Amino acid sequence: MPRDTPDAPVRSSTPSGESRLALVRRARKMYRELVELYPDAHCELNFTTPLELLVATILSAQCTDKRVNLVTPALFARYPDAEAYASAGREDLEEMIRSTGFFRAKANSLIGLGQALCERHGGEVPGNLADLVKLPGVGRKTANVLLGNAFGVPGITVDTHFGRLVRRFQWTDEQDPVKVEHAIGDLFPPKDWTMLSHRVVWHGRRVCHARRPACGACGLARWCPSFGEGPTDEATATKLLRMRSFA
């Protein structure tokens, strides 16, 4: 299947050998198609407050969003604020989050998070990256999830799906998540960053699977340098689609 990319001088500075301008144009065409494919893309963790999203995101490490969403209603009712997490009984908290995996480490993070929020921020979740990444259990990925979805601050969230797809798309060849974040941020205006993250992840979960992408049924195929890594026959590829909610 031919790729629809602008003619431009080849430069070795991009993973695909395109010029920088050609890469930007191709990446933005692919994103416009993602907008058409996933107009309702959103964070698939259920939350109503910044604290709830922060807790859910911590729990989602090495766990599915669906599993986290089964656990959080009772958790949020039991621990409605930072003070409640700060004073939580460890055994009770561990039992409530046990099914999300790594429950001891996650309990440590949630208790430490509650204590840090109470001690440093009056029990409120800060709305800036510098303060967020200093909180227990909060790295740059988690902070960007929170900023983009709870505070409306543009951010690129580099999870496993996002990193895998942007390398498959040859938007970047970086492996380090922070370098990936900056490389992709340079291709798109900040206003697109949060929804770009959601739509790339949705595509990774539903179509562009790690082991067997559904290439023959992919709306991005004409622009993708990796077309052919999965079945190119439409009938075969369609059987691989997982067009459902992961919430």
Side-chain angles (χ1 to χ4, degrees), residues 42-119:
H42 57 272
C43 177
E44 294 188 282
L45 292 169
N46 296 334
F47 70 97
T48 60
T49 67
L51 178 60
E52 288 183 355
L53 178 57
L54 188 51
V55 169
T57 306
I58 290 172
L59 294 180
S60 71
Q62 303 298 312
C63 183
T64 65
D65 290 354
K66 183 177 181 179
R67 168 55 56 184
V68 172
N69 288 339
L70 291 174
V71 168
T72 51
L75 184 72
F76 294 161
R78 179 76 173 271
Y79 305 102
D81 52 33
E83 185 177 358
Y85 286 104
S87 59
R90 184 175 302 278
E91 289 186 4
D92 290 342
L93 179 57
E94 287 182 355
E95 188 58 34
M96 292 194 77
I97 65 173
R98 178 182 294 270
S99 65
T100 68
F102 301 96
F103 59 93
R104 292 188 179 88
K106 291 177 180 179
N108 286 339
S109 293
L110 295 182
I111 293 170
L113 173 67
Q115 293 170 347
L117 290 176
C118 290
E119 293 169 3

Side-chain angles (χ1 to χ4, degrees), residues 82-229:
E83 185 177 358
Y85 286 104
S87 59
R90 184 175 302 278
E91 289 186 4
D92 290 342
L93 179 57
E94 287 182 355
E95 188 58 34
M96 292 194 77
I97 65 173
R98 178 182 294 270
S99 65
T100 68
F102 301 96
F103 59 93
R104 292 188 179 88
K106 291 177 180 179
N108 286 339
S109 293
L110 295 182
I111 293 170
L113 173 67
Q115 293 170 347
L117 290 176
C118 290
E119 293 169 3
R120 305 175 202 168
H121 303 288
E124 299 298 320
V125 177
N128 65 84
L129 184 67
D131 286 334
L132 284 170
V133 296
K134 295 176 184 176
L135 296 172
V138 181
R140 192 176 181 95
K141 181 186 80 172
T142 297
N144 277 328
V145 170
L146 190 74
L147 290 173
N149 295 282
F151 291 104
V153 177
I156 292 175
T157 303
V158 183
D159 69 357
T160 302
H161 294 290
F162 189 91
R164 172 170 57 80
L165 262 66
V166 297
R167 285 186 288 271
R168 184 172 277 171
F169 296 161
Q170 293 187 17
W171 289 358
T172 183
D173 55 8
E174 296 288 357
Q175 297 289 329
D176 177 75
V178 176
K179 291 182 179 179
V180 171
E181 178 187 337
H182 291 305
I184 304 306
D186 285 343
L187 301 177
F188 298 92
K191 66 180 180 63
D192 291 337
W193 289 352
T194 299
M195 290 309 301
L196 171 72
S197 300
H198 287 317
R199 288 177 171 126
V200 169
V201 168
W202 274 44
H203 193 65
R205 287 175 169 175
R206 291 158 173 80
V207 180
C208 196
H209 315 305
R211 294 185 180 178
R212 204 174 182 214
C215 292
C218 177
L220 305 181
R222 66 186 303 199
W223 301 290
C224 183
S226 300
F227 177 78
E229 285 193 12

Side-chain angles (χ1 to χ4, degrees), residues 4-18:
D4 182 13
T5 54
D7 292 329
V10 173
R11 279 179 16 189
S12 60
S13 58
T14 62
S16 57
E18 300 163 284

